[in-house]
Amino acid sequence: MARVLKVDDLAPAPGRTGRFEGYEHGASVSFFVSRVPEGGGPGLHTHPYEETFVIHEGSATFTSGEETVEAEPGMIIVVPPNTPHKFTAGPNGLRSVNIHGNDRMIQEDLPDDSG
């Protein structure tokens, strides 16, 4: 039988609508359903698995390794495992689904010397 959840019932995370950890629901992936205000976003970090961002509304500047991407609605950004990355939401904020290729979220925060 399918498990059915409402996004609004997901555990809240800072600056985000909801956090879904797959192991809690019998799923092999985890994700954030994000609503990030202008200027918001996570600091530089890595995961031992890929992270895939599906951009729904707004915009953000993504840093992935040495690359910078200006993300807009309709884009999908895949960050490889162990790649330092972060994003900063644009003037209208950002709505996205951020998929973690693991049933548990594992994150290592890194120092950010980019200013």
Side-chain angles (χ1 to χ4, degrees):
M1 180 172 191
R3 291 186 171 96
V4 178
L5 303 162
K6 291 185 177 183
V7 170
D8 290 343
D9 292 338
L10 296 176
R16 296 180 170 84
T17 298
R19 176 183 178 125
F20 176 96
E21 291 225 42
Y23 78 94
E24 295 175 339
H25 306 284
S28 61
V29 298
S30 300
F31 58 86
F32 287 112
V33 177
S34 296
R35 289 186 183 168
V36 182
E38 177 182 3
L44 195 65
H45 63 280
T46 63
H47 309 285
Y49 47 78
E50 75 283 345
E51 185 172 10
T52 303
F53 298 87
V54 181
I55 311 304
H56 292 282
E57 292 180 12
S59 63
T61 300
F62 277 78
T63 300
S64 175
E66 300 297 317
E67 183 179 12
T68 300
V69 175
E70 296 299 328
E72 57 188 39
M75 292 179 114
I76 298 170
I77 299 166
V78 181
V79 177
N82 303 308
T83 301
H85 62 285
K86 65 179 183 175
F87 67 83
T88 303
N92 295 316
L94 177 70
R95 285 194 59 218
S96 63
V97 175
N98 311 341
I99 304 164
H100 291 237
N102 199 44
D103 70 342
R104 295 174 191 261
M105 292 185 185
I106 302 168
Q107 179 169 312
E108 179 183 352
D109 293 327
L110 302 172
D112 189 352
D113 300 327
S114 67

